[in-house]
Amino acid sequence: MHSMERIKTGRCSVELVVACSCLVAIGMRASGDAKPYPFFEPIQPSRRHQIVVHGGEANQAPADSRPALERCIEDGLEWAEVAVRLTRDGQHVLSHADRVSAGSAQNWAIGERTLSEWKAVDLGSQYSPRYAGESLLSLREAFALAKNRLNLCLDCREVSPEQLAREILEAGMEHQVVVCDEPVLLKRLDAASGGRVALMAHWHPGTDITSWVGSNHLSAVAIEVSKVTADVNRAFQALGVKVQVQNAGSSDTAENWDKAIRAGADWLQTDLPEELMAHRLWQQLKVRPVRFSLHRGANRYAPENTLPAFTKGIRLGADFEEFDVRTTLDGKYYLLHNDTLDGKTDGSGPIATTASSVIDSLSAGSKFGKPYAAIKLPTLDQFLGVVAGKVDLYFDAKAITPEALAESITRHGLDERTVVYQSPEYLLRLKAINPKIRALPPLRSAGELDGLLSKLHPYAVDADWDLLSRTLIARCHAQGILVFSDALGKHERIEDYLQAIDWGIDVIQTDHPLRLFRAMELQNAGAVKL
C-alpha cells in the first residue's frame, strides 16, 4: 500500500475510527467508567509528561543492569523500560539481548544457562572496570531495587505469564509495573493476576481503539512517534489509558519529543533522558532562576574533560563548562584534572613527565565505558575550537602559565566568555596581561572577601558551599561581584540548590544536572518549601 494511501478498517477510515472512539470514550468518562490505572508516582509533585528510559541509563551503564536502574533513580526519572527473559531453569532475568557474551569464545542465549550460572558471569567488566562483578539482574532483584523508587515497564521477550503475574504481586509491585506484550499473552497474565496488573500493547493505525482497549483490558498503549496524533491520544486517555510514545534511534530527537508533548503523551520513551529533560525545562522557563556550570563537562554522561562530555553539556544548555588544563613534558596543553594519567586514562605516571606523543596514544574513555574507548584527551586548542561561542568557559588553570592561558583564550576570541579559577596572585598576573579575562578566585572564609576586593576586585568568587548565606551573597552583589559555588558531594541535593537559589546565588557548579533541573522545575512551578 502506498504510504499516503488512507488505511481502511471495515467502512471506517482511521480518522473515523478515532472520532467514533472519542464519542464512546466521552460517554464512558461522563458516566464515571473511565478510571486511569493508579500508577505509583516516584517523583512528587508529578510531571505531566513522564520519562521512560530504554534499558535504564544504558548509555552510561550496561543495559538492564543494576547500575543502569540506579542511575535512573539518582537522576529523578520515573520509569525504566527493561526486557524480561527466562533462563534455562525458568527464572525471569533482565536482558534486551537474546545472546550474551560471557568471555572469549563464549556466547550463550539467555535460555541456555541457569540463573546461578549467569550469576557467576561478570558482565559488568565487559562494559567498564567500574562495573566489575555486575551480573544479569533477576526480575526479583529489580523489583527490590525499584520498590517505591522507580517504575518499570516490562518488555516481555520470553516469559511465563502466570509466573510473571505471581512475581509482580508477591513483590507488591502491581502499581509500579506495566507489562508490555502481545494481547494473547497479556490475557493469560490478566487472568492469572485477577486483573490487578497493568497491561500495555502496541497500537497501530486502523485498529478500533475502544473495542481493542476493552477486549484486552489495557491500562496503557505504546505508539511509535511517527503514528501519534492528538486525536489518537485523546481517544485513549478518555478511556483512562496512558499513552507512551516510542522514540528510538534516529527518532530520538527534540523535534519528535515536541511532537509527542504537543499530542499530549503521558510517557515519553527515550535513550537520552538527560537531553529530553533539559529540552523540556528550557521550554518551560522564561528566565533561568540560576545559571549552572558542568564540572569537567557533563561527566555523568561521558568521560570527564573529553569532547563528548563538553558537547553533551552544550546540548544540556550549560551556561558554563568547567575544565582543567595541564602541561606535558614537551610543553603541550591537555585537559586533565589529576596530575597523573592514572585513573582517568589507560596510561600511568605524571603528565608533566610524559610526552604529548604518548598522551595522544592513550584512551581517555575506556575506564568510563566500552563505547568511549576511542576517546582521547583533547588538547586545549582542540577543546577551544569545538566549544568556542557555544558556552562560557570556567577555566581551572591547574598547570599552565598566565601568559600561555591568555594567548590561547585571546586567539580563540574568548576573552570575555571565560572565567579563570586560580589563586589571587596568579589572577593578578593574568589581569595585567589581559584585563578582559574574568577572575574567579576561591573564597574559603568571609574574612577573605575584603582582601580580595581591595587587591583584585574579581568578576566573581568561588565560595565554599558551607560559607553561603543570604548575607554573604548580598554583600558580594553590593560590590558588583558574582557568587559561584560547587554543589559537589554532600550538597548535590535539591533542597540545597533551592536554598542557594533563594539566597540569590549566581552560578551553581554540579556533577548532577538533572537534580538541579528538578530544583529549577520546582522553583518555576512555585512548589518550593524552604
Side-chain angles (χ1 to χ4, degrees):
M1 180 181 292
H2 191 278
S3 61
M4 296 300 292
E5 187 176 343
R6 181 173 294 173
I7 303 171
K8 302 287 186 176
T9 305
R11 295 183 180 180
C12 291
S13 67
V14 172
E15 291 85 351
L16 185 55
V17 169
V18 172
C20 292
S21 298
C22 284
L23 290 173
V24 174
I26 290 169
M28 291 178 62
R29 183 170 53 186
S31 65
D33 292 331
K35 295 181 180 179
Y37 189 86
F39 289 106
F40 175 70
E41 301 285 357
I43 306 301
Q44 293 289 341
S46 61
R47 301 180 178 109
R48 169 64 185 90
H49 308 285
Q50 297 185 359
I51 292 178
V52 181
V53 192
H54 184 228
E57 290 198 26
N59 286 329
Q60 292 84 40
D64 300 314
S65 67
R66 181 183 301 275
L69 299 187
E70 288 174 338
R71 291 179 63 91
C72 292
I73 295 167
E74 293 167 2
D75 276 346
L77 303 171
E78 293 93 350
W79 290 83
E81 181 268 354
V82 294
V84 184
R85 298 181 185 275
L86 283 169
T87 60
R88 191 177 71 188
D89 55 339
Q91 300 298 310
H92 287 125
V93 295
L94 307 189
S95 179
H96 269 81
D98 174 45
R99 303 187 67 85
V100 176
S101 173
S104 59
Q106 294 179 319
N107 185 276
W108 298 318
I110 299 299
E112 292 177 349
R113 288 290 182 268
T114 66
L115 177 59
S116 62
E117 287 172 333
W118 278 120
K119 282 297 181 184
V121 176
D122 177 6
L123 299 177
S125 293
Q126 298 178 35
Y127 186 95
S128 166
R130 60 185 174 144
Y131 297 130
E134 293 292 339
S135 59
L136 279 183
L137 197 63
S138 73
L139 184 60
R140 287 189 173 90
E141 290 173 322
F143 285 163
L145 173 63
K147 184 74 172 178
N148 297 323
R149 301 198 295 170
L150 178 70
N151 290 353
L152 299 176
C153 175
L154 305 183
D155 180 5
C156 298
R157 302 297 177 90
E158 181 185 13
V159 302
S160 164
E162 293 77 17
Q163 179 181 329
L164 183 59
R166 184 172 64 253
E167 291 175 357
I168 293 169
L169 296 177
E170 287 176 351
M173 288 289 288
E174 57 266 35
H175 296 295
Q176 284 187 252
V177 162
V178 64
V179 179
C180 185
D181 206 337
E182 295 298 324
V184 63
L185 291 177
L186 290 179
K187 288 179 179 179
R188 288 173 55 189
L189 188 143
D190 193 45
S193 71
R196 294 168 59 193
V197 173
L199 310 178
M200 179 166 73
H202 290 267
W203 179 79
H204 302 283
T207 305
D208 179 79
I209 290 174
T210 303
S211 61
W212 184 67
V213 166
S215 63
N216 293 298
H217 298 176
L218 299 177
S219 298
V221 294
I223 306 176
E224 295 295 331
V225 68
S226 61
K227 300 171 184 175
V228 73
T229 69
D231 286 343
V232 168
N233 283 8
R234 281 193 292 268
F236 280 115
Q237 289 160 350
L239 292 167
V241 174
K242 297 287 188 182
V243 176
Q244 175 178 287
V245 175
Q246 310 281 97
N247 298 285
S250 61
S251 297
D252 208 2
T253 64
E255 180 182 5
N256 283 327
W257 302 334
D258 287 340
K259 178 183 178 182
I261 290 170
R262 286 195 303 269
D266 299 290
W267 304 335
L268 307 172
Q269 189 186 84
T270 181
D271 288 312
L272 299 169
E274 66 282 357
E275 295 187 29
L276 196 163
M277 284 276 287
H279 178 74
R280 185 175 58 184
L281 180 63
W282 307 140
Q283 289 181 325
Q284 293 171 355
L285 295 182
K286 294 181 179 178
V287 178
R288 297 189 185 191
V290 68
R291 289 186 289 171
F292 75 102
S293 174
L294 288 176
H295 184 227
R296 310 177 196 174
N299 71 74
R300 184 168 174 79
Y301 307 104
E304 67 175 52
N305 275 319
T306 67
L307 295 182
F310 295 116
T311 54
K312 172 70 75 172
I314 291 168
R315 293 196 297 276
L316 295 183
D319 298 286
F320 289 85
E321 294 210 74
E322 188 263 0
F323 61 101
D324 310 274
V325 174
R326 293 191 178 274
T327 308
T328 65
L329 177 66
D330 49 341
K332 300 293 179 64
Y333 305 110
Y334 285 82
L335 273 57
L336 182 68
H337 179 269
N338 300 343
D339 58 2
T340 71
L341 298 163
D342 306 75
K344 303 305 179 185
T345 75
D346 56 357
S348 62
I351 186 171
T353 59
T354 305
S356 59
S357 58
V358 175
I359 304 295
D360 290 340
S361 70
L362 302 177
S363 169
S366 59
K367 293 189 176 181
F368 184 92
K370 186 176 180 181
Y372 300 91
I375 300 302
K376 305 294 185 180
L377 284 180
T379 67
L380 177 58
D381 272 346
Q382 287 171 339
F383 165 71
L384 295 177
V386 168
V387 304
K390 300 173 184 175
V391 65
D392 280 6
L393 304 182
Y394 183 134
F395 198 134
D396 188 344
K398 283 283 196 300
I400 182 173
T401 66
E403 293 77 12
L405 187 157
E407 189 279 328
S408 294
I409 292 298
T410 301
R411 179 159 41 83
H412 286 273
L414 295 168
D415 310 59
E416 298 182 40
R417 296 202 65 172
T418 302
V419 297
V420 177
Y421 176 82
Q422 247 286 2
S423 68
E425 294 72 26
Y426 182 102
L427 295 173
L428 279 170
R429 290 173 57 193
L430 183 62
K431 192 172 184 178
I433 299 166
N434 186 340
K436 292 182 181 180
I437 300 175
R438 299 172 293 182
L440 178 69
L443 181 67
R444 299 189 176 92
S445 72
E448 295 177 352
L449 186 57
D450 287 338
L452 288 173
L453 286 171
S454 61
K455 185 178 181 180
L456 181 62
H457 201 90
Y459 166 80
V461 292
D462 186 358
D464 283 358
W465 193 278
D466 290 328
L467 193 62
L468 294 177
S469 69
R470 189 185 303 277
T471 300
L472 177 73
I473 293 171
R475 185 179 166 198
C476 290
H477 287 175
Q479 297 295 327
I481 295 174
L482 303 184
V483 178
F484 289 49
S485 192
D486 299 342
L488 308 179
K490 67 178 182 178
H491 292 295
E492 292 277 27
R493 304 188 315 140
I494 292 172
E495 296 86 348
D496 287 350
Y497 305 144
L498 288 170
Q499 183 69 81
I501 291 170
D502 181 61
W503 286 339
I505 193 170
D506 299 287
V507 178
I508 293 175
Q509 181 157 269
T510 181
D511 287 322
H512 290 273
L514 265 62
R515 294 183 193 174
L516 183 53
F517 292 172
R518 179 58 173 170
M520 294 189 204
E521 191 176 59
L522 292 172
Q523 200 269 353
N524 182 59
V528 178
K529 294 180 181 179
L530 298 175

